[in-house]
Amino acid sequence: MGKLLSIRNKECLKILKKAIKNARSQGIRILHFSLESNHVHLIIEATSNQILTKGMRSFTITFAKGINKGRIQFERYHLHVLKTLRETRNAIHYVLFNHQKHTGLKTAYVSTYSSLGVIKNLKELAKEMRMTVVLRGIPELNFLDDPRSWLAKKSLNLQLIC
């Protein structure tokens, strides 16, 4: 067994950006992400299962080869097709606030390790959740895609539900 590695760092973020760009070339659209200490959460749009499979294969291979140290499991991912607006909002909320959930913080730090900074109503959302938002310089997120599906577009205009 190898040493466990935290992937929540700037080097892995660069590798994540490259993996997202490579996956995009296979046709998937990555809308949100959260880089955690030992896993990555993604909200993705794909027009078919074949495109999703190719895009995720490209993503995992690029990310795994880029890191190439420690003990990390890359051979699987959890797929959940979002079918309703509530489900979509909850999934985005889960991805964006996952780090706060696991650390037990009541402060949402907008950092470079998630796409939390793209939420337009972030301050209102934080107030509703009784959470403080700390901006540590809005991250450059130009490597993410704009949503095309109605569910993803609509979920960005509504407050996310806890």
Side-chain angles (χ1 to χ4, degrees):
M1 265 208 223
K3 177 183 166 189
L4 292 178
L5 167 75
S6 175
I7 59 172
R8 192 174 168 90
N9 59 57
K10 289 183 182 190
E11 179 184 329
C12 290
L13 181 64
K14 286 180 187 177
I15 296 166
L16 177 75
K17 289 178 184 181
K18 182 178 179 184
I20 287 173
K21 289 176 183 177
N22 286 350
R24 181 181 297 126
S25 71
Q26 299 299 316
I28 67 173
R29 303 175 55 74
I30 299 182
L31 311 180
H32 289 288
F33 76 95
S34 179
L35 187 60
E36 302 301 328
S37 62
N38 62 355
H39 62 282
V40 177
H41 290 283
L42 302 170
I43 300 287
I44 297 172
E45 287 181 334
T47 55
S48 71
N49 287 340
Q50 183 180 13
I51 288 173
L52 178 64
T53 300
K54 286 181 178 180
M56 286 306 297
R57 188 174 296 135
S58 172
F59 176 86
T60 55
I61 289 169
T62 303
F63 199 61
K65 283 184 176 180
I67 291 177
N68 195 26
K69 58 185 172 183
R71 189 177 139 242
I72 302 173
Q73 183 178 5
F74 287 103
E75 61 273 359
R76 67 180 183 93
Y77 62 91
H78 172 74
L79 170 67
H80 182 84
V81 177
L82 302 171
K83 297 177 184 171
T84 67
L85 188 56
R86 179 180 293 271
E87 217 177 6
T88 305
R89 288 187 309 216
N90 288 342
I92 292 170
H93 178 272
Y94 179 83
V95 168
L96 297 181
F97 290 97
N98 192 259
H99 185 68
Q100 283 78 19
K101 176 186 163 197
H102 289 296
T103 58
L105 297 173
K106 275 298 204 182
T107 303
Y109 291 97
V110 179
S111 71
T112 57
Y113 301 116
S114 82
S115 56
L116 187 58
V118 300
I119 300 298
K120 290 179 176 65
N121 61 343
L122 181 59
K123 289 187 179 184
E124 294 83 15
L125 173 63
K127 185 178 178 183
E128 187 74 23
M129 294 175 57
R130 296 186 184 106
M131 185 178 278
T132 304
V133 174
V134 176
L135 302 175
R136 291 184 171 168
I138 299 295
E140 184 179 313
L141 298 170
N142 59 0
F143 61 94
L144 295 174
D145 296 300
D146 291 327
R148 287 192 182 160
S149 69
W150 179 85
L151 283 174
K153 285 179 183 178
K154 191 73 172 166
S155 67
L156 291 177
N157 294 330
L158 299 171
Q159 286 192 345
L160 303 172
I161 299 171
C162 297

